[in-house]
Amino acid sequence: MTIATRQEVLGLYRSIFRLARKWQAVSGQMEDTIKEKQYILNEARTLFQKNKNLTDTDLIKQCIDECTARIEIGLHYQIPYPRPIHLPPMGLTSIRGRGLRSQEKLRKLSKPVYLRSHDDVS
């Protein structure tokens, strides 16, 4: 990992913790705010710990993009949780037909950047 990449990752980590410190739940309830702050902190710690040994620059860039997207989406929609996507089963068509393997592959490829690591952690 280059020094610039390391600084970018550490900056994202710090900005997540600053965001968690200032976070207010939309409902205005104190217990909701505490629960959402804890979710933000636990999710950040878990994902950063999971990815701390990455050395491939492309994977690191993908993780940085995912982190940035999740921060922006969380701020925009005022929810700390990743927005779910809804794809009907067998809803993606492939060139050769509707085989189960091709559907799974298309489903994996169509997953948004902000949900790439969500299935691994949750």
Side-chain angles (χ1 to χ4, degrees):
M1 183 180 332
T2 65
I3 294 173
T5 307
R6 179 178 166 78
Q7 289 176 345
E8 186 177 4
V9 169
L10 291 174
L12 282 171
Y13 194 70
R14 276 188 238 108
S15 68
I16 291 170
F17 278 85
R18 270 188 245 114
L19 174 71
R21 196 175 329 121
K22 297 176 185 175
W23 188 264
Q24 289 292 321
V26 176
S27 66
Q29 300 292 326
M30 190 56 156
E31 51 272 356
D32 289 343
T33 299
I34 292 170
K35 192 165 102 175
E36 290 179 3
K37 283 182 178 186
Q38 281 299 341
Y39 174 80
I40 293 169
L41 294 173
N42 291 337
E43 186 80 2
R45 284 185 187 117
T46 303
L47 289 174
F48 276 86
Q49 284 292 322
K50 183 186 110 185
N51 296 323
K52 74 177 180 180
N53 294 323
L54 289 180
T55 55
D56 183 23
T57 55
D58 292 334
L59 284 175
I60 293 171
K61 180 67 176 146
Q62 284 179 359
C63 290
I64 290 171
D65 291 342
E66 178 184 357
C67 181
T68 306
R70 287 183 71 173
I71 289 172
E72 290 174 6
I73 288 171
L75 289 172
H76 179 76
Y77 292 104
Q78 291 296 306
I79 55 170
Y81 312 107
R83 294 191 69 224
I85 57 169
H86 302 287
L87 293 174
M90 303 299 281
L92 300 171
T93 59
S94 65
I95 297 171
R96 294 187 209 130
R98 294 185 145 211
L100 186 59
R101 279 192 196 153
S102 63
Q103 286 291 313
E104 289 174 359
K105 184 177 180 180
L106 286 171
R107 194 175 278 281
K108 184 176 181 179
L109 290 174
S110 67
K111 185 179 275 193
V113 69
Y114 60 87
L115 286 176
R116 292 270 160 82
S117 63
H118 185 13
D119 292 338
D120 299 338
V121 175
S122 299

